[in-house]
Amino acid sequence: MVTNVNTSNSNKKVFKPNYMLVEEAHVKNWEAEIEKGKDLEKYWGEKAEQFEWFQKWDKVLDESQKPFYKWFTNGKINLAYNAVDRWIHTDKRNQVAILYANERGDERKLTYYELYREVNKMANALKNLGVEKGDTVSMYLPMCPELLVSILACNKIGAIHSVVYSGLSVGAFVDRMNDAEAKVLITADGTYRRGKIIDLKRIVDEALLKCPTIETTIVVKHTGNPIKISELSGKEIFYERLLEGELDECPVEEMDSEDPLFILYTSGSTGKPKAVLHTTAGYMVGVATTLKTVFDIHDGDLWWCTGDIGWITGHSYLLYGPLLLGTTTLVYEGAPDYPDPGIWWKIVEKYGVTKLYTSPTAVRHLMRYGSKYPTYYNLSSLKILGSVGEPMNPAAWRWLYKNIGYEKTPIMDTWWQTETGMHMISPLPISPLKPGSPTLPLPGVDIDVVDEKGKPVPVGEDGYLVIKRPWPAMFRTLYQDEERFINVYWKDLPGGVYRAGDMARKDEDGYIWIQGRSDDVLKIAGHRVGTSEVEAAFSSHPAVAEAAVIGKSDPVKGQVIKAFVILKEDYQLTTDVIEDLQKHVRYELGPVAVLGEIAQVEKLPKTRSGKIMRRVLRAQEEGRDLGDLSTLEE
Ligand code: PRX
């Protein structure tokens, strides 16, 4: 247990650990684990022993070309082999690996053995399409078992996957597809959303007109939506047909530890979305270790991560982490409040979910319906709850703790990012908790809050959140853009530290309190949305001459978009134009771009070099002092 936390004299209430969980915890002595974690090579080297390697590594950490760190150099390993094949030789062979459920009450279960066969078939099918080691395969799929199978099939043959979140729309999709230059795209006939079927294929058809690299589109018949594909052209094929007659055995590709595993796009404050590149072995070690210790995964657990596989949370902790640990992972397709706001709790009761990992936005959303719905169900199977994506406000924390956790399940508020790949700041089940803080950096992780000179800030003062030493699941670069990788993350602050882009504070116990982003990235319902991408969407509308957007506080979603637009001559911001702008931005970006307000302006505050000063707009919006205006154009 973390012993140096002052539980009596703190200005914030401290929740002590549940002693039953402490007894069975993988990590029982926090101080000893932290001490061990100081020797990065020894600590992470030991953790890497949990996997089956084709060839062991020479060196755990190679720091010779900072910030291009390498982990487990010259090791040979395969992720799909460790996440699936390994288990079929054990008594997990017939255990459910993937439990799929949806809002209609449909259910599908794949045991590890069934998953193994399906992955092999898909891997063979991809090879027959000409996909080779190092090629990129893109996916635009709903939360369905075929998405997990396709990802694992890529791993098996050494292809790089690039998943585009199925909630993103045409414009965002085109940018991401063209950047990844994939030859193959896997999509579906639709996804279920609130009693309707969203036709993903229609979006794909439109987008592919602008994506020249895609040679083959594979379409999963997921919803039975009666779509037609042009099979005769040889460019489109149904997934089910593709797999017909494929062998259910496929040789494993021996991957180098540092071979690319996947690309995942995330938004930055400027320019196009960032293609975050993760590699094989370090990512596996980091993700499996943190899931095991933070959520204390044991045999018999039923793990449910409510995040979408289209984001890093789903990659690391819905798919990879649980399968690497041989757990059953629940894949749920649907909204948290449809057909009614008790649906999640119904699922927890029905399947006996033991660990539930969700987001502050979802909790705040469900909180609005009051505490009635959880009382209809028996949630006593739950042992540990978790949260990610944005600060968990204490009111939401308490609601979750009381109504879902029955005041016995701790909440693991995990801080991390697409770039970090794994949990970085988080409690363990043995940690005293303070609602609103992700507590302390994990063992084997070195984090601090510093000022512009790189000096640690005093207790209670705002500073930049930095990661001081490399960690195994760290992204290795931005795909095809090393310059941006260095400029965005490694250059700003002295000492060669990684700048996370968040502002934070530390309290008297060293607990970290995240204050929000220090850049112009918005956090809408926990999703990272780049201001420049939204502005580009606005500017591509015929009525708009120029646009600037900022985040506006929202009680449920954390932030929504407030847009300032300069309209072209002859246009006024009428209700029709507003409606049309809303439709247009949604068409370009998808439902992640939640618009709060659109205001018409004559001018935007800019620096002399023409950069929009969003900070001025924000200060104005919040009625704060406008700060230093010396760089303002006029
Ligand atoms: O601002 C922090 C916030 O989410 C950002 C990372 O976003 P993304 O790459 O989309 O990954 C989200 C899922 C890992 C961070 O820079 N964030 C994430 N977790 C927390 C958080 N803010 C406060 N508390 C958290 N637990």
Side-chain angles (χ1 to χ4, degrees):
M1 179 169 145
V2 185
T3 48
N4 58 353
V5 172
N6 190 344
T7 49
S8 54
N9 192 18
S10 178
N11 52 357
K12 305 239 165 42
K13 181 164 165 30
V14 177
F15 290 75
K16 291 189 190 142
N18 174 339
Y19 73 93
M20 305 247 285
L21 292 174
V22 173
E23 262 172 33
E24 62 181 41
H26 288 301
V27 175
K28 291 197 173 60
N29 185 332
W30 196 85
E31 268 93 7
E33 194 74 5
I34 286 291
E35 213 35 54
K36 274 202 236 163
K38 288 184 180 157
D39 184 342
L40 294 185
E41 293 212 46
K42 189 156 180 283
Y43 184 77
W44 291 111
E46 271 175 32
K47 304 293 180 197
E49 301 282 356
Q50 66 187 298
F51 296 125
E52 281 185 30
W53 293 76
F54 301 122
Q55 179 182 303
K56 213 168 159 183
W57 58 90
D58 296 338
K59 191 158 173 31
V60 173
L61 173 62
D62 173 359
E63 303 193 63
S64 59
Q65 288 170 304
K66 293 175 188 177
F68 297 98
Y69 297 94
K70 292 195 181 84
W71 285 85
F72 307 104
T73 55
N74 295 324
K76 301 279 179 259
I77 197 163
N78 182 285
L79 200 162
Y81 180 85
N82 276 279
V84 185
D85 304 22
R86 185 164 55 126
W87 304 121
I88 67 163
H89 308 297
T90 70
D91 54 10
K92 289 188 193 286
R93 180 186 173 92
N94 297 322
Q95 181 198 303
V96 175
I98 295 172
L99 168 51
Y100 164 83
N102 67 21
E103 61 176 35
R104 296 156 29 111
D106 305 332
E107 167 186 300
R108 268 171 74 192
K109 290 178 181 171
L110 270 101
T111 63
Y112 273 98
Y113 183 58
E114 288 166 331
L115 179 61
Y116 168 79
R117 296 184 59 224
E118 197 71 12
V119 168
N120 286 342
K121 285 188 196 172
M122 184 58 174
N124 285 325
L126 288 174
K127 274 207 233 172
N128 288 342
L129 287 177
V131 177
E132 291 176 1
K133 181 178 174 185
D135 284 347
T136 306
V137 174
S138 287
M139 294 161 210
Y140 185 64
L141 280 165
M143 293 276 280
C144 61
E146 288 78 6
L147 174 53
L148 291 88
V149 168
S150 301
I151 290 178
L152 291 161
C154 285
N155 297 166
K156 187 101 190 212
I157 62 171
I160 306 166
H161 59 82
S162 168
V163 179
V164 177
Y165 172 54
S166 62
L168 292 179
S169 202
V170 180
F173 178 80
V174 169
D175 286 348
R176 287 158 177 78
M177 293 294 290
N178 284 339
D179 189 79
E181 295 178 335
K183 282 192 283 189
V184 174
L185 168 70
I186 309 169
T187 187
D189 59 5
T191 178
Y192 300 112
R193 199 73 183 169
R194 295 177 189 281
K196 287 198 198 117
I197 292 175
I198 312 284
D199 186 348
L200 293 181
K201 182 61 173 38
R202 188 189 55 75
I203 299 174
V204 165
D205 286 345
E206 248 174 86
L208 286 195
L209 296 174
K210 296 183 196 152
C211 300
T213 64
I214 298 294
E215 291 167 10
T216 313
T217 304
I218 303 168
V219 186
V220 177
K221 283 184 190 167
H222 176 58
T223 57
N225 189 21
I227 58 156
K228 288 211 172 57
I229 66 166
S230 56
E231 279 195 286
L232 284 180
S233 72
K235 288 188 147 194
E236 295 188 328
I237 182 159
F238 279 119
Y239 174 95
E240 295 71 12
R241 194 178 164 96
L242 181 75
L243 263 59
E244 261 170 33
E246 283 298 350
L247 290 178
D248 58 5
E249 290 291 338
C250 173
V252 187
E253 190 70 43
E254 292 192 9
M255 304 297 286
D256 187 89
S257 294
E258 283 297 336
D259 274 337
L261 180 66
F262 66 85
I263 303 169
L264 188 59
Y265 289 88
T266 187
S267 299
S269 40
T270 54
K272 57 182 183 144
K274 295 186 278 196
V276 169
L277 179 82
H278 281 282
T279 58
T280 308
Y283 177 78
M284 290 169 64
V285 173
V287 165
T289 304
T290 46
L291 179 62
K292 184 170 172 178
T293 49
V294 171
F295 286 94
D296 218 32
I297 300 295
H298 291 274
D299 283 349
D301 264 326
L302 177 56
W303 168 256
W304 184 14
C305 164
T306 67
D308 194 285
I309 300 183
W311 306 106
I312 192 70
T313 305
H315 276 57
S316 297
Y317 296 112
L318 193 156
L319 167 63
Y320 286 133
L323 297 183
L324 285 168
L325 296 177
T327 313
T328 303
T329 186
L330 193 132
V331 180
Y332 182 72
E333 182 186 11
D337 57 356
Y338 182 86
D340 67 59
I343 181 65
W344 277 15
W345 320 128
K346 187 175 176 178
I347 299 271
V348 168
E349 181 188 77
K350 179 170 176 196
Y351 297 110
V353 174
T354 55
K355 315 270 160 87
L356 174 72
Y357 190 32
T358 187
S359 67
T361 292
V363 175
R364 287 194 297 262
H365 184 72
L366 290 169
M367 243 171 99
R368 285 196 312 185
Y369 298 103
S371 45
K372 180 175 78 174
Y373 285 97
T375 63
Y376 297 159
Y377 303 96
N378 179 353
L379 307 177
S380 58
S381 60
L382 287 170
K383 286 183 166 181
I384 298 181
L385 301 169
S387 155
V388 60
E390 51 184 316
M392 179 73 146
N393 51 310
W397 196 102
R398 289 202 169 83
W399 186 87
L400 187 70
Y401 186 67
K402 181 162 180 271
N403 297 286
I404 310 304
Y406 301 164
E407 297 187 345
K408 68 176 174 56
T409 55
I411 300 172
M412 302 296 119
D413 179 349
T414 60
W415 179 91
W416 59 294
Q417 307 178 296
T418 308
E419 292 87 340
T420 70
M422 66 183 219
H423 301 146
M424 299 296 281
I425 309 174
S426 170
L428 298 181
I430 53 172
S431 308
L433 304 173
K434 301 184 191 182
S437 165
T439 74
L440 298 160
L442 283 170
V445 169
D446 192 357
I447 286 188
D448 209 345
V449 183
V450 301
D451 62 18
E452 251 140 42
K453 296 199 178 95
K455 268 187 33 207
V457 291
V459 167
E461 278 183 27
D462 277 2
Y464 302 102
L465 189 71
V466 296
I467 309 177
K468 288 161 62 186
R469 304 211 48 206
W471 63 102
M474 63 196 300
F475 68 137
R476 299 304 196 260
T477 190
L478 293 178
Y479 183 63
Q480 295 177 339
D481 204 348
E482 287 186 352
E483 204 183 319
R484 193 172 179 202
F485 170 70
I486 293 180
N487 288 341
V488 172
Y489 301 102
W490 300 98
K491 242 184 157 172
D492 258 13
L493 295 163
V497 295
Y498 167 86
R499 179 182 167 163
D502 280 12
M503 299 302 286
R505 272 178 215 165
K506 284 197 296 189
D507 71 13
E508 66 278 14
D509 297 312
Y511 275 38
I512 293 172
W513 298 78
I514 308 292
Q515 305 297 313
R517 298 285 308 181
S518 62
D519 53 16
D520 284 329
V521 171
L522 311 183
K523 266 277 166 182
I524 302 177
H527 298 144
R528 240 157 102 169
V529 179
T531 36
S532 60
E533 235 183 326
V534 185
E535 285 162 6
F538 269 103
S539 304
S540 65
H541 186 278
V544 177
E546 217 181 338
V549 305
I550 59 168
K552 189 176 159 74
S553 293
D554 180 86
V556 174
K557 298 198 181 289
Q559 282 188 318
V560 293
I561 296 166
K562 164 125 193 201
F564 299 87
V565 293
I566 302 176
L567 293 182
K568 288 186 186 151
E569 258 179 57
D570 305 335
Y571 282 99
Q572 277 308 315
L573 200 62
T574 58
T575 342
D576 284 352
V577 172
I578 291 180
E579 236 173 63
D580 206 54
L581 279 171
Q582 278 169 336
K583 255 202 235 149
H584 177 78
V585 171
R586 211 179 152 88
Y587 170 80
E588 286 290 324
L589 299 176
V592 284
V594 185
L595 281 181
E597 213 177 309
I598 305 177
Q600 184 178 359
V601 291
E602 294 298 316
K603 254 185 181 175
L604 290 168
K606 284 190 186 163
T607 61
R608 279 179 211 106
S609 59
K611 261 179 83 180
I612 296 171
M613 292 177 82
R614 300 190 190 90
R615 133 182 111 66
V616 174
L617 292 171
R618 272 196 302 267
Q620 206 172 27
E621 185 67 22
E622 290 158 16
R624 285 186 282 113
D625 178 47
L626 298 188
D628 179 9
L629 296 179
S630 57
T631 53
L632 198 66
E633 198 176 24
E634 52 187 79

